[in-house]
Amino acid sequence: MYLGKRKIYDEAGSEARRAELISTKSGAVSNAFIELEGLINKTQVAEQYFGHTQGWLSQKLHGCEVCNKRKAFTDEEYHQLAEAFRHIAKRLAAHADEIDAAGADGDD
């Protein structure tokens, strides 16, 4: 189920294509970055959670061929990316809770 803010004109067709895409790990990762475009900074995900450059992450995401070898995530890296997304979600939830708990701004 698409949770973004973009207007989907063919919801049934879009959901069918999305379901097919997320049936594999590589498709689920691609879909996540497509749907979170502009919200998730790939450079920071690569650096903070993998200790690599954005180029490294991009090669893995797009299955680029480097030195005659296709780049792809290992099972461990897929899990690491899922954990990174969970960590980001926890951080966002904690900040949302802080905003809700904070007092109102005073009038100056």
Side-chain angles (χ1 to χ4, degrees):
M1 166 189 260
Y2 175 67
L3 299 175
K5 296 284 187 179
R6 293 186 179 139
K7 176 73 176 150
I8 304 295
Y9 295 102
D10 177 14
E11 289 186 35
S14 178
E15 281 303 313
R17 287 185 298 278
R18 185 181 187 282
E20 183 178 338
L21 184 62
I22 65 171
S23 68
T24 64
K25 288 189 183 296
S26 62
V29 169
S30 293
N31 186 69
F33 278 105
I34 289 167
E35 290 189 8
L36 297 172
E37 182 181 6
L39 297 175
I40 298 292
N41 184 315
K42 292 177 192 173
T43 300
Q44 291 305 310
V45 168
E47 290 176 2
Q48 292 183 30
Y49 294 98
F50 290 95
H52 290 287
T53 64
Q54 190 274 340
W56 174 89
L57 181 63
S58 183
Q59 288 174 356
K60 298 272 188 165
L61 284 172
H62 301 293
C64 294
E65 196 170 299
V66 179
C67 298
N68 296 322
K69 186 175 180 183
R70 185 177 166 272
K71 293 291 185 178
F73 288 104
T74 63
D75 286 341
E76 183 179 311
E77 289 167 340
Y78 279 126
H79 180 70
Q80 191 172 350
L81 182 58
E83 288 300 313
F85 277 18
R86 287 183 187 99
H87 183 247
I88 292 166
K90 285 179 190 174
R91 291 170 64 186
L92 288 169
H95 287 294
D97 291 345
E98 288 174 350
I99 292 167
D100 282 340
D105 293 339
D107 292 334
D108 292 334

